[in-house]
Amino acid sequence: MPRVLRTDSCLSGGVSLALLVLLPVVSALLSLTIGKYGISVAEILRVFSDALFGTSLSSDPLAGSIIFSTRLPRILTAMLVGAGLAVSGAVFQGLFKNPLASPYTLGVSNGAGFGAALAISLTTQTVIIQGTAMLFGLVAVGLTFLMCRRARNSTVTLVLAGLLVGNLFAALLSLIKFFADPFEKLPSITFWLMGSLSSATNGLFLSVLPPFLLATGVLFLYRWRLNILSMGDNEARAYGVDVAKDRAVIILCCSLITALCVSVSGIIGWIGLIIPHIARAVTGPDQRRLFPLTLSFGAVYLLLIDDFCRCVSSLEIPLGIVTALLGSPIFAWFLLKEKLKW
């Protein structure tokens, strides 16, 4: 009997893992067909076969150019940003024991927004804008840590310090917008702050992928420590966990992921707040199961929203607008059903 139970458990785990992988893959494949230039699934398969295996299936050269130069990098970037924001939100909600925590709790978004606005007002080079946004996002987190370095109740103080630092950079951002050129620079700053993936390229995706994988891999290895830390500092110390060190590593990884995401897509809200609650309603609060499910759900969620934003009209709708319009009623439903847990 125990052997049968173990077999069923492994089978169930294998099926769950297959679904977690297949869901983003199928969504990405369908997203490749969506656009002003229609491409069938069969044509997509021929293009990939020619590119990967050197076959000669007479694929359309224009379709191949659209897929590899435009749609694929945007799809991969959308999935990376959605997965990163979602998993950072899930980790912060458990770490801070707060269902309202999000990837932007420690001031990353406002810091990155200030950095991007500052760069946009001085230059038009995308690389500089993205690098400055990521830099100031990490600077905001560093200031948050400095403010609560000697505090005993570190989680509460971290949140309060993050709120203070976020408001500081929000004021600085408003100051830059006030002095920005209203005809050239201000519209660019405003559009960037609303979130978009229109600048996604293969080079951009490949530049953020290694640090993203590194930080996500560290968080994946820390899943069981996240479960212990969510029990409280005293309980975590009783299990032999170095609370200060582990919390610092986790926050650093989440902040790096969030800064990377914001630097390539602008500020996209609500994903890191509602996707963890949706995943938690499916699998429970155990980070060992919640972590991969949140990655998968976040990637698919933002990908579908981006498909809608780039295809629903001739003018691309900023992602932040749609995520807010969808996120608000979903969060309200969780609130009314009293399902907001960490």
Side-chain angles (χ1 to χ4, degrees):
M1 186 66 179
R3 182 175 300 177
V4 174
L5 290 175
R6 284 198 299 270
T7 303
D8 292 343
S9 177
C10 292
L11 179 61
S12 176
V15 172
S16 300
L17 180 61
L19 289 176
L20 290 177
V21 174
L22 284 176
L23 185 61
V25 170
V26 172
S27 300
L29 181 62
L30 294 178
S31 297
L32 286 172
T33 67
I34 300 174
K36 295 180 180 179
Y37 182 85
I39 305 175
S40 66
V41 175
E43 183 63 32
I44 292 173
L45 296 178
R46 284 195 294 268
V47 169
F48 277 105
S49 179
D50 289 347
L52 295 176
F53 306 110
T55 58
S56 299
L57 299 180
S58 301
S59 60
D60 184 2
L62 179 58
S65 177
I66 292 175
I67 289 173
F68 290 116
S69 300
T70 305
R71 293 187 188 175
L72 186 60
R74 179 161 183 158
I75 288 171
L76 293 177
T77 304
M79 296 175 71
L80 182 145
V81 172
L85 293 177
V87 79
S88 296
V91 170
F92 274 167
Q93 287 172 9
L95 185 66
F96 297 140
K97 299 180 284 294
N98 186 346
L100 299 179
S102 75
Y104 305 145
T105 297
L106 300 184
V108 176
S109 60
N110 288 332
F114 167 76
L118 179 63
I120 292 172
S121 63
L122 299 175
T123 183
T124 59
Q125 296 186 18
T126 304
V127 176
I128 297 178
I129 295 171
Q130 293 163 347
T132 308
M134 185 175 66
L135 174 62
F136 276 93
L138 295 177
V139 167
V141 176
L143 290 176
T144 301
F145 265 105
L146 287 176
M147 291 184 62
C148 60
R149 184 171 51 181
R150 297 181 180 179
R152 294 182 178 180
N153 196 350
S154 56
T155 55
V156 174
T157 310
L158 269 173
V159 174
L160 294 176
L163 179 64
L164 177 61
V165 171
N167 286 331
L168 172 63
F169 278 105
L172 294 175
L173 173 60
S174 299
L175 188 64
I176 290 181
K177 292 170 66 177
F178 178 78
F179 286 108
D181 184 346
F183 300 103
E184 294 185 5
K185 299 298 184 178
L186 185 58
S188 299
I189 294 174
T190 303
F191 185 77
W192 191 94
L193 292 174
M194 290 189 292
S196 174
L197 292 169
S198 58
S199 61
T201 61
N202 288 310
L204 174 62
F205 173 75
L206 293 176
S207 67
V208 300
L209 183 60
F212 176 87
L213 292 178
L214 176 62
T216 306
V218 172
L219 290 178
F220 183 82
L221 297 176
Y222 269 72
R223 291 172 300 159
W224 68 273
R225 293 175 184 262
L226 284 167
N227 286 334
I228 297 176
L229 288 171
S230 65
M231 299 168 60
D233 292 357
N234 293 331
E235 290 80 0
R237 292 190 182 96
Y239 279 98
V241 174
D242 189 338
V243 175
K245 177 183 176 181
D246 288 350
R247 182 184 289 128
V249 170
I250 292 169
I251 291 176
L252 177 62
C253 290
C254 287
S255 300
L256 177 59
I257 292 173
T258 305
L260 287 170
C261 294
V262 173
S263 69
V264 300
S265 67
I267 300 176
I268 303 175
W270 291 94
I271 294 178
L273 182 61
I274 64 169
I275 294 299
H277 288 298
I278 295 175
R280 199 175 289 111
V282 175
T283 191
D286 188 349
Q287 291 284 350
R288 293 173 297 176
R289 295 189 297 268
L290 180 65
F291 192 95
L293 187 65
T294 306
L295 280 173
S296 181
F297 280 8
V300 173
Y301 181 76
L302 185 57
L303 177 59
L304 296 179
I305 289 179
D306 185 56
D307 290 340
F308 174 81
C309 290
R310 65 184 174 88
C311 298
V312 70
S313 69
S314 58
L315 295 176
E316 183 176 320
I317 302 176
L319 291 171
I321 295 176
V322 179
T323 56
L325 291 175
L326 288 177
S328 299
I330 294 174
F331 192 79
W333 183 85
F334 275 102
L335 182 63
L336 293 175
K337 294 294 182 179
E338 297 182 353
K339 294 182 178 293
L340 292 180
K341 301 177 182 178
W342 48 266

